[in-house]
């Protein structure tokens, strides 16, 4: 599990630790880890000795880390030059150490010739807003030669706590972050600027609060959470998931939701709605009922919404499902038809799976506002509906009311935006609910498997939803193997 803490918490933890350590010790620890990471990048194309390294140095401690790390590289024989984004404010200790090690300050990258590495030490957790014009110009000049870029703590210019990119920002190949991940390193679009992440332990673990603000499942977490497939021969013991989806207008959504449900670990899928013929034609193993969900027999969880349309039967199906005393997942048209009071009155778990547009409608705000503040939006929805909320996007987020860490899905891809892929996800997550996973786990494991399956199916291009569904079993086997 990758944990992330907001910058205010990180700063407080760093201050606490600094009080117990000699001056500058934390910065030197950070710089040592940064120098090792830079050495690894340099060694990809040769050696540290004789390589040419360009430091972009800001006026705060982020610049300090960079100068001390530059001094270490210079002592190992690299040619190191510093460009100061805030002349006169550069960290004096770091600057002295760089010069003593044979490094130098230059005014422009011209004259230093082609470099092997650029180190972005302009701003870390003290950065506010996109890069200022002078800093942006420095970055543009320094990165014109296409050398690899290592960002220090964060790519300068991104919002560390929200993942937003409000102005010009560095695009790094690697981000070396200190003590803990920050939300902006895990949430798009900022995460897209960070490149590969390397975490340097500077001893913060002992002073950070137990509960992070954000966490991202890793392979091993998913393997531990997945219900063991096939151990209970009695498929009904593995839970039956009900799917109330589709309409005469959109029978396809029912087929896709059922295809996701069939791969989610539930023992059986029970379909209720007008798409029964289309469903049984594609998935003959489905238990189908042409009537309303309330007449469809027992299930351990319901999925309601994909392709329902807004017919009277649709309204009835949503009401039936919300009245059922089992965990339910509401998606797509179900989100539009559901009654807030009915959702909040439920005892059993409720999972809502809006995309940004549906979240905006539920919150009564513009879609751009949701896209600009995804973390705040998903938390607000979870509180307002007292439900687990999965906010789809190139970084899917899962929030619960009551302040549990928000889950960030690390396997998302923008290619998932194709029609119907949400139907597959809702069936998959609902099936994991029926198989007994807690709501937050069912939603985040569902998103994880769904994202992996999309990556397999797409090979870099938009992917058809049915191809995503088809890849889920192999992804499951790999995670579980
Ligand atoms: N506090 C600590 O104990 C430690 C801090 N460390 C480093 O210190 C960093 C935090 O240092 P600071 O609090 O000094 O802040 P930063 O160094 O991150 O940034 C502050 C500097 O950036 C400038 N700045 C702010 N926004 C800008 C923008 N949009 N464009 C251009 N310049 C901008 C400010 O004027 C100031 O000079 C961390 O990210 C990390 O790299 C590490 O050494 C670990 C220990
Ligand atoms: K930086």
């Amino acid at each position: 599990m990758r944990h992330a803490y907001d910058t205010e918490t990180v700063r407080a933890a760093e201050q606490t630790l600094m009080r117990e350590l000699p001056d500058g010790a934390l910065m030197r620890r950070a710089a040592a880890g940064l120098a090792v990471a830079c050495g690894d990048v340099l060694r990809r194309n040769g050696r540290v000795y004789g390589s040419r390294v360009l430091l972009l140095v800001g006026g705060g401690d982020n610049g300090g880390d960079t100068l001390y790390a530059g001094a270490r590289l210079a002592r190992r024989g690299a040619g190191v030059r510093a460009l100061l984004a805030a002349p006169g404010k550069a960290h004096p200790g770091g600057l002295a150490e760089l010069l003593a090690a044979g490094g130098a300050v230059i005014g422009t990258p011209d004259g230093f010739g082609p470099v092997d590495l650029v180190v972005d030490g302009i701003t870390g957790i003290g950065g506010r807003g996109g890069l200022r014009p002078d800093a942006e110009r420095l970055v543009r000049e320094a990165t014109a030669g296409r050398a690899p870029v290592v960002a220090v703590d964060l790519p300068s210019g991104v919002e560390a706590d929200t993942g937003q990119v409000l102005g010009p920002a560095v695009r790094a190949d690697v981000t070396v972050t200190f003590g803990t991940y920050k939300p902006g390193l895990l949430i798009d679009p900022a995460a897209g600027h960070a490149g590969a992440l390397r975490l340097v332990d500077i001893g913060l673990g002992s002073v950070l609060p137990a509960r992070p603000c954000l966490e991202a499942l890793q392979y091993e977490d998913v393997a531990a959470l997945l219900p063991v497939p096939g151990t209970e021969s009695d498929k009904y013991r593995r839970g039956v998931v009900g799917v109330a989806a589709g309409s005469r207008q959109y029978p396809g959504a029912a087929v896709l939701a059922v295809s996701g449900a069939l791969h989610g670990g539930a023992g059986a899928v029970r379909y209720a709605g007008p798409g029964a013929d289309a469903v049984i034609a594609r998935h003959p193993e489905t238990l189908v009922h042409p009537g309303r969900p309330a007449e469809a027999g027992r299930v351990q969880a319901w999925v309601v919404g994909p392709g329902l349309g807004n017919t009277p039967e649709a309204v009835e199906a949503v009401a039936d499902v919300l009245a059922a005393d089992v965990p339910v997942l509401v998606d797509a048209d179900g989100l539009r038809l559901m009654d807030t009071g009915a959702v909040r009155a439920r005892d059993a778990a409720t999972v809502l799976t809006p995309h940004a547009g549906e979240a905006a409608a539920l919150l009564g705000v513009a879609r751009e506002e949701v896209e600009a503040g995804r973390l705040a939006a998903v938390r607000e929805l979870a509180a307002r509906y007292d439900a687990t909320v999965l906010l789809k996007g190139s970084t899917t987020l899962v929030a619960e009311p009551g302040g549990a860490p928000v889950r960030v899905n690390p396997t998302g891809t923008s290619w998932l935006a194709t029609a119907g892929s949400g139907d597959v996800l809702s069936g998959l997550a609902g099936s994991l609910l029926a198989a007994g996973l807690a709501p937050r786990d069912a939603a985040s494991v569902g998103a994880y498997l769904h994202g992996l399956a999309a990556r397999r199916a797409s090979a870099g291009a938009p992917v058809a939803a049915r191809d995503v569904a088809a890849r889920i079993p192999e992804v499951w086997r790999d995670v579980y193997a």
Side-chain angles (χ1 to χ4, degrees), residues 115-205:
V115 296
D116 301 301
L117 174 68
V118 174
V119 185
D120 160 29
I122 296 173
T123 59
I125 60 174
R128 289 288 169 272
L131 282 173
R132 291 179 198 146
D134 51 338
E136 190 206 351
R137 192 175 44 258
L138 206 66
V139 170
R140 206 179 22 254
E141 287 169 7
T143 55
R146 299 268 174 279
V149 176
V150 169
V152 181
D153 210 19
L154 287 153
S156 302
V158 308
E159 298 306 307
D161 287 333
T162 62
Q164 296 165 280
V165 177
L166 303 175
V170 168
R171 283 193 176 285
D173 301 278
V174 178
T175 295
V176 179
T177 198
F178 307 121
T180 173
Y181 296 101
K182 288 81 185 176
L185 296 176
L186 303 178
I187 299 176
D188 277 340
H193 281 252
L197 301 181
R198 272 186 69 152
L199 176 61
V200 172
D201 181 1
I202 57 173
L204 283 193

Side-chain angles (χ1 to χ4, degrees), residues 311-403:
T311 60
E313 292 93 345
V315 174
E316 186 181 67
V318 173
D320 277 7
V321 165
L322 289 181
D325 195 18
V326 292
V328 308
L329 183 148
V330 187
D331 183 36
D333 291 331
L335 294 167
R336 243 176 350 88
L337 297 172
M338 70 184 182
D339 166 72
T340 310
V343 173
R344 290 185 59 87
R346 284 175 44 79
D347 290 332
T350 305
V351 179
L352 309 180
T353 58
H355 54 54
E358 289 155 343
L362 290 172
L363 289 169
V365 300
R367 178 200 180 96
E368 292 66 36
E369 195 177 315
V370 171
E371 286 299 7
R374 302 170 48 76
L375 205 48
V378 73
R379 283 191 171 123
E380 171 58 28
L381 276 173
R384 200 175 291 191
Y385 285 89
D386 193 23
T388 299
V389 179
L390 178 152
L391 177 58
K392 287 181 270 195
S394 64
T395 305
T396 290
L397 303 173
V398 177
E400 285 205 325

Side-chain angles (χ1 to χ4, degrees), residues 298-320:
R298 270 202 53 70
V299 298
Q300 276 63 51
W302 273 109
V303 173
V304 65
L308 271 188
N310 56 2
T311 60
E313 292 93 345
V315 174
E316 186 181 67
V318 173
D320 277 7

